[in-house]
Amino acid sequence: MKIAIIGGGPAGLYLALLVKKWRPETTIDLFERNGPDDTFGWGVVFSDKTLGYLKAEDEPSYEAILRSFETWDNVDIVYRGEKITVGGNKFSGIARIEILHILQERCKELGVNLNFRTNITDVASLTGYDLIVGADGINSEVRSRYKDAFGPNISTRPNRYIWYGTPHLFHGLTLTFRENGDGVFAAHSYKFNKDLSTFIVECDEETWDTAGFANMDETATRLYLQDVFKDDLQGADLLSNNSKWINFLFVKNQHRYHENVVLLGDSVATVHFSIGSGTKLALEDAIALFLAMRDNDKLGIPATLAAFDKARSPVVNEYQEAAYESLVFFETLKDYMHLDPIPFAYKLMMRSGKVDHENLRKRDPGFVERYEKYVK
Ligand SMILES: Cc1cc2nc3c(=O)[nH]c(=O)nc-3n(C[C@H](O)[C@H](O)[C@H](O)COP(=O)(O)OP(=O)(O)OC[C@H]3O[C@@H](n4cnc5c(N)ncnc54)[C@H](O)[C@@H]3O)c2cc1C
């Protein structure tokens, strides 16, 4: 069996190592356009549950990831200068480059052919493979090449976001809301190692235009946002990693596979970063495809891909629905800024539709009690 994987992000690397571990005789050629140490962004968040899956499938990479994790259970909401803490939420943070290095090392150990700095411009040029995997991220070439078969539906969302790091440590998933004369800004921040936190800033189109970001260079943008969040950063700088304003792309596809070509991770479905699940879904996609390969070993590629699709699509659709609700909350933030801190925090915790009142009570009875007192 020969497999080509386009994209060395979490989805592509994890699939490669799982299949190679199971079937060492399989040739796996993974093509990644960047170098092994290049990455965009800073740290990523995981929900606790993902870890069980990782442990079950590959203990060495699970142990290495676990050693690099920062964990916490509080969501801190900073609004009108007040900090409200909601406990009982399990999260872990890790640098994106760290998880990529762990998976790269594991792939090397197992004998996956990792081809860095190799940009695949036409997937049809990859001949002689039994299976071709498009794990090439949000702007997937593989998806574009076979767009008539995959049926992508891509919507460019109106909010803009920019992904920074900072040496200020946010001990918990911290959602900060600040208003100035130009509009409303939201920051999503959390520490992902002993020295650094991720700091993503998001704002709507009107705020972006009024602030004049179109005419600001990278430094001016960074200094402007540093000023908006000066009380939260407590004098620390925002750190750029070629950080630029981006509109979030909401990607869905009618189909996940076409003949012997299959899409994984962000290439097939994106979830807004406010629910912190993109990496988790990418890894779980890889696990689901691997399990479909193992369970349908004798039935061939078409049956394998059909089984993968059947198992995976409903799960991903459910996450996408929750993530969509969450992204709409951030897009319509101005509609909630009249709320007092407690109902604002309550609305924020419920925004994805995945948490209800009783569920929130289980996570943090004290917070729900404060809310119930407020509405009485
Ligand atoms: C601002 C922001 C914050 C986020 N925060 C979180 C978070 O906190 N938690 C979380 O779980 N997720 C988060 N995510 C989402 C997460 O980064 C993605 O969901 C995840 O990386 C998807 O993994 P992937 O392997 O599918 O794709 P990617 O990680 O995008 O990897 C795709 C790879 O393919 C390579 N590639 C692309 N085209 C080609 C080509 N033609 N030839 C060769 N190589 C190619 C790219 O260089 C890249 O390395 C965030 C995303 C953003 C934008």
Side-chain angles (χ1 to χ4, degrees), residues 6-13 31-34 38 40 43-46 96 100 118-121 135-142 161-163 190 198 200 246 248 264-267 269-283:
I6 299 113
L13 289 167
F31 305 100
E32 167 54 52
R33 68 178 166 201
N34 290 329
D38 303 338
F40 67 88
V44 291
V45 196
F46 276 85
R96 176 177 158 91
L100 293 182
T118 310
N119 190 21
I120 302 298
T121 49
D136 52 346
I138 201 160
N139 296 307
S140 170
E141 284 291 325
V142 180
Y161 71 86
I162 187 160
W163 200 348
Y190 48 87
T198 286
I200 303 165
I246 306 173
F248 182 74
L264 282 193
D266 271 12
S267 68
T270 57
V271 289
H272 192 241
F273 49 84
S274 56
I275 71 158
S277 299
T279 308
K280 163 192 160 72
L281 286 184
L283 294 169

Side-chain angles (χ1 to χ4, degrees), residues 37-94:
D37 301 319
D38 303 338
T39 187
F40 67 88
W42 298 85
V44 291
V45 196
F46 276 85
S47 76
D48 204 39
K49 205 173 153 216
T50 322
L51 302 182
Y53 281 94
L54 300 184
K55 185 174 164 62
E57 300 310 334
D58 185 54
E59 190 112 16
S61 55
Y62 163 78
E63 293 293 344
I65 291 170
L66 207 62
R67 280 195 294 278
S68 305
F69 261 163
E70 290 294 313
T71 56
W72 62 85
D73 83 344
N74 56 308
V75 173
D76 287 347
I77 297 149
V78 181
Y79 173 77
R80 292 189 189 165
E82 187 180 329
K83 180 159 101 178
I84 296 172
T85 295
V86 183
N89 307 279
K90 297 248 182 293
F91 288 109
S92 323
I94 186 170

